[in-house]
Amino acid sequence: MTPGEITALLFEKDYFSQWLGLQVDESGEGYCKLHYRINEQMLNGFGIVHGGVVFSAADSAFAFACNSHGILTVALDVSISFTRPARSGDLLFVEARELHLGNKTGLYEIRTTNESGELIALFKGTAYRTSREVK
């Protein structure tokens, strides 16, 4: 399967990513770019996007990027730094890039930006590559 076919297969079964309104724009080996629009249900008590929403979208892009090689891959460790708030109506872009791919682990950087290209959050993920194929 191609990376695009793998992403489509995973997305088809990923009801949470669908519920978030994520739209996959591009996928390739070790890469995924998607976007979504913030709505009122995604806001916290301060009127800005809940960090869990931004984290979840970045985690989905991470999953699509690290599974793009066709090997079932899961998160070992992740962290996120929030740099700027987003509000209802904002369009956010999430871009996952593979920084390193080893036999059993991979390292990924996932950047969430707004329409002006300003960094909203930086997510770093380490992934474990199992011995099973994505099916």
Side-chain angles (χ1 to χ4, degrees), residues 65-79:
C66 67
N67 280 281
S68 65
H69 299 283
I71 302 298
L72 191 128
T73 305
V74 296
L76 270 179
D77 182 60
V78 298
S79 64

Side-chain angles (χ1 to χ4, degrees), residues 60-131:
S60 290
F62 171 47
F64 299 145
C66 67
N67 280 281
S68 65
H69 299 283
I71 302 298
L72 191 128
T73 305
V74 296
L76 270 179
D77 182 60
V78 298
S79 64
I80 192 165
S81 297
F82 301 101
T83 58
R84 170 176 272 110
R87 293 176 170 72
S88 187
D90 287 356
L91 184 63
L92 299 185
F93 300 92
V94 186
E95 190 169 26
R97 291 186 185 277
E98 188 174 79
L99 302 178
H100 169 76
L101 182 64
N103 290 330
K104 284 293 184 184
T105 62
L107 180 64
Y108 297 80
E109 178 184 79
I110 299 87
R111 298 172 63 86
T112 300
T113 57
N114 61 20
E115 291 174 278
S116 300
E118 298 169 314
L119 186 67
I120 300 297
L122 182 63
F123 178 112
K124 185 188 93 171
T126 302
Y128 174 73
R129 304 178 78 210
T130 71
S131 56

